[in-house]
């Protein structure tokens, strides 16, 4: 037990503390809010994509689709274009709004979140067109080939390319710059004040005038310097974030990610919320690449479909076991209360009722089970045994169905999810069996004492 205490002390000092502070950073909270706000758009956009690609998984449907859905594909796929196709814009607006609201609350200043959102969008849109210096003159790039279509600086591919998932990181960075400058102007009182008799809406508009000018000039200078150097903000941001993305797409990188996620949970911090908020842009970008022919396992709802089945710690199999086979009355009652929520990837009753948090008997399988299920799913997709995720599904979607829908209707994804759940349970089994026996003995001892009294 002393070694267990040392483990929890180590996690508290070197993981819980730093990650707890990171989770409270204003930027991180803004990114979390943007990621949550994007969920309905990614799900709806994916639903229409699934309609388009379903015959690829079920060839028998091709004739029906040719006579029906394919005839109006350009029409209904507008829903996909207006959601997944401009996802960076949603991130930009929500992040700008939430970050401005957080700044206003914590700095005790009068920032209008709507102005923050609009200023962020302006800064982001100023970075979208591609420019070059040609003979000392800034000109918009125009290239039309079989592989590339850039018209007056706007790269097109089923919509404006940079408004899609590839633009999320740039949207966040430009929103940070815009809101920071807006905050600076308000704090330094670099705003136009209108008389009190002027309506609030008009007064608020003029308050944003000087920040708008400052932000526009700043972005012009940033773009000008980068274009002179033969690059732009998109290409610059792609370097560090590209490294992070490539790392997250490796098996070792995912092992580290899932270790961190569950190490936080063990010491009482909602690791899934913190870690996945950073990963949302990556899994969405990977999902779009898969739609275009890539084979990236870590995309869409890879996590809830194949890894954390039943909730963090991949606890579904374990919950089913204690529901029907636990000898301990405590675990049996807990299982009966938690089994239905676990089918929908909700396991807070287990995390805090068993508990898993600060429990040395469950800490090891809580780490190892999701890392094992992740490994099975990663290599199954990597080696082409199962189609990669191409569509977003709601995270509470039950076992098997989530992978089936997310893969565009690949029945093998359903089987893979069941195998992953089984793999996780094999990790859990010896530990939960031992813990169940320990609790049962304690309950029997207490019952004997009560009978004697």
């Amino acid at each position: 037990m002393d070694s267990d205490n040392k483990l929890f002390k180590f996690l508290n000092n070197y993981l819980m503390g730093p990650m707890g502070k990171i989770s409270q950073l204003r930027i991180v909270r803004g990114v979390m809010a943007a990621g949550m706000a994007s969920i309905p758009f990614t799900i709806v956009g994916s639903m229409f994509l699934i309609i388009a690609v379903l015959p690829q998984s079920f060839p028998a449907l091709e004739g029906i689709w040719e006579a029906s859905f394919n005839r109006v594909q350009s029409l209904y796929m507008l829903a996909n274009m207006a959601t997944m196709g401009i996802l960076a814009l949603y991130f930009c607006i929500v992040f700008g709004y939430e970050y401005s609201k957080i700044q206003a609350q914590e700095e005790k200043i009068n920032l209008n979140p709507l102005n923050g959102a609009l200023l962020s969008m302006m800064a982001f849109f100023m970075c979208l067109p591609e420019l070059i210096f040609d003979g000392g003159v800034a000109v918009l790039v125009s290239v039309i080939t079989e592989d590339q279509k850039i018209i007056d600086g706007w790269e097109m591919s089923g919509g404006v390319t940079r408004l899609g998932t590839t633009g999320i990181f740039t949207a966040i960075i430009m929103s940070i710059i815009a809101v920071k400058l807006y905050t600076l102007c308000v704090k330094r009182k670099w705003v136009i004040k209108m008389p009190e008799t002027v309506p609030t809406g008009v007064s608020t508009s003029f308050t944003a005038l000087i920040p708008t000018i400052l932000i526009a000039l700043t972005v012009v200078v940033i773009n000008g310097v980068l274009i002179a150097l033969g690059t732009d903000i998109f290409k610059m941001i792609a370097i560090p974030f590209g490294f992070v993305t490539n790392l997250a797409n490796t098996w070792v990188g995912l092992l580290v990610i899932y270790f961190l996620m569950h190490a936080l949970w063990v010491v009482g911090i909602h690791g899934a919320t913190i870690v996945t908020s950073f990963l949302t842009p990556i899994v969405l970008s990977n999902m779009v690449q898969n739609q275009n022919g890539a084979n990236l396992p870590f995309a869409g709802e890879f996590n809830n479909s194949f890894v954390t089945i039943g909730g963090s710690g991949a606890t579904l199999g374990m919950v089913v076991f204690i529901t029907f086979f636990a000898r301990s009355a405590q675990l049996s009652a807990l299982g009966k209360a938690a089994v239905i929520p676990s089918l929908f990837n909700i396991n807070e009753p287990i995390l805090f009722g068993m508990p898993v948090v600060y429990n040395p008997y469950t800490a090891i399988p809580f780490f190892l089970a999701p890392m094992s299920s992740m490994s099975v799913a990663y290599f199954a997709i990597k080696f082409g045994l199962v189609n990669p995720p191409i569509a977003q599904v709601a995270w509470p979607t039950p076992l098997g169905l989530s992978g089936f829908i997310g893969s565009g209707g690949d029945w093998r994804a359903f089987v893979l999810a069941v195998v992953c759940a089984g793999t996780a349970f094999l990790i859990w089994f010896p530990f939960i069996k031992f813990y169940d026996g320990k609790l049962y003995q304690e309950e029997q001892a207490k019952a004997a004492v009560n009978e004697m009294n």
Side-chain angles (χ1 to χ4, degrees), residues 122-133:
M122 179 193 74
F124 176 50
F125 265 80
M126 289 181 66
C127 298
L128 292 177
E130 296 184 47
L131 295 94
I132 57 172
F133 276 110

Side-chain angles (χ1 to χ4, degrees), residues 186-251:
V186 174
K187 288 179 71 172
R188 296 291 179 87
K189 302 188 185 302
W190 298 343
V191 295
I192 298 175
K193 288 188 176 181
M194 303 297 289
E196 294 183 1
T197 55
V198 175
T200 303
V202 177
S203 178
T204 301
S205 299
F206 275 91
T207 301
L209 183 58
I210 292 178
T212 303
I213 296 171
L214 179 59
I215 292 167
L217 290 174
T218 301
V219 178
V220 165
V221 171
I222 292 173
N223 285 343
V225 171
L226 293 177
I227 294 166
L229 295 173
T231 185
D232 61 26
I233 189 70
F234 271 82
K235 296 171 185 174
M236 287 289 292
I237 289 176
I239 297 173
F241 286 109
F243 171 78
V244 175
T245 300
N246 291 335
L247 184 63
N249 286 332
T250 65
W251 175 63

Side-chain angles (χ1 to χ4, degrees), residues 314-340 342-343 350 354 421-422 424-440:
T315 57
L316 179 59
M318 181 268 286
V319 171
V320 172
F321 173 78
I322 64 174
T323 300
F324 297 102
F325 302 106
R327 300 169 67 198
S328 163
Q330 174 188 330
L331 285 186
S332 178
L334 180 63
K336 289 179 174 62
V339 67
I340 297 301
S342 291
L343 293 174
I350 288 292
M354 184 170 279
F425 173 66
L426 291 177
I427 300 295
W428 270 104
F429 181 72
F431 295 93
I432 198 62
K433 188 75 173 174
F434 175 81
Y435 188 48
D436 177 44
K438 178 180 177 298
L439 290 180
Y440 178 72

Side-chain angles (χ1 to χ4, degrees), residues 91-276:
F91 263 79
C92 178
I93 294 172
V94 177
F95 180 85
Y97 184 93
E98 291 292 334
Y99 192 42
S100 298
K101 187 165 69 174
I102 293 169
Q103 292 279 99
Q105 292 171 347
E106 300 192 1
E107 296 283 345
K108 308 296 183 185
I109 54 178
N110 186 26
L111 291 182
N112 186 327
L114 181 58
N115 281 344
L118 295 175
L119 291 169
S120 298
M121 186 171 66
M122 179 193 74
F124 176 50
F125 265 80
M126 289 181 66
C127 298
L128 292 177
E130 296 184 47
L131 295 94
I132 57 172
F133 276 110
D134 185 6
V137 178
V139 296
L140 292 166
V141 175
S142 287
V143 176
I144 299 179
T145 65
E146 290 185 4
D147 301 322
Q148 193 176 34
K149 185 191 297 181
I150 305 176
I151 303 172
D152 291 337
W154 298 82
E155 183 177 1
M156 309 296 292
S157 180
V160 180
T161 304
R162 288 186 166 185
L163 282 176
T165 54
T166 57
I168 290 177
F169 289 120
T170 302
I172 292 172
I173 297 299
M174 298 314 298
S175 297
I176 292 171
I177 293 173
V179 174
K180 284 290 187 183
L181 290 175
Y182 179 30
T183 303
L184 176 66
C185 289
V186 174
K187 288 179 71 172
R188 296 291 179 87
K189 302 188 185 302
W190 298 343
V191 295
I192 298 175
K193 288 188 176 181
M194 303 297 289
E196 294 183 1
T197 55
V198 175
T200 303
V202 177
S203 178
T204 301
S205 299
F206 275 91
T207 301
L209 183 58
I210 292 178
T212 303
I213 296 171
L214 179 59
I215 292 167
L217 290 174
T218 301
V219 178
V220 165
V221 171
I222 292 173
N223 285 343
V225 171
L226 293 177
I227 294 166
L229 295 173
T231 185
D232 61 26
I233 189 70
F234 271 82
K235 296 171 185 174
M236 287 289 292
I237 289 176
I239 297 173
F241 286 109
F243 171 78
V244 175
T245 300
N246 291 335
L247 184 63
N249 286 332
T250 65
W251 175 63
V252 174
L254 289 178
L255 286 176
V256 173
I257 287 170
Y258 282 102
F259 173 80
L260 289 175
M261 185 186 299
H262 291 84
L264 290 170
W265 258 126
V266 165
V267 291
I269 294 180
H270 200 308
T273 299
I274 295 173
V275 176
T276 55

Side-chain angles (χ1 to χ4, degrees), residues 3 43 171 178 211 227 239 288 290 297 331 351 388 402 417:
S3 60
I43 292 175
I227 294 166
I239 297 173
V288 172
N290 286 342
L331 285 186
L351 297 180
S402 176

Side-chain angles (χ1 to χ4, degrees), residues 333-408:
L334 180 63
K336 289 179 174 62
V339 67
I340 297 301
S342 291
L343 293 174
F344 299 93
N345 298 324
I346 300 168
N347 68 344
E348 275 74 8
I350 288 292
L351 297 180
F352 298 105
M354 184 170 279
V356 169
V357 175
Y358 286 106
N359 188 340
Y361 297 100
T362 59
I364 292 176
F366 191 72
F367 286 117
L368 292 183
M371 294 168 75
S372 300
S373 57
M374 178 279 296
S375 299
V376 171
Y378 178 87
F379 289 112
I381 296 172
K382 197 72 176 176
F383 292 142
L385 302 178
V386 176
N387 291 341
I390 62 168
Q392 189 78 349
V393 294
W395 64 266
T397 306
L399 169 68
L401 190 59
S402 176
F404 176 77
I405 296 173
S407 64

Side-chain angles (χ1 to χ4, degrees), residues 64-95:
I64 300 173
W65 254 242
E66 285 293 334
S68 56
F69 290 108
N70 288 359
R71 292 177 177 272
V72 291
Q73 182 172 324
S74 296
L75 176 61
Y76 70 74
M77 281 299 286
L78 290 175
N80 180 271
M81 188 186 303
T83 50
M84 293 298 299
I86 58 170
L87 201 58
L89 181 58
Y90 293 116
F91 263 79
C92 178
I93 294 172
V94 177
F95 180 85

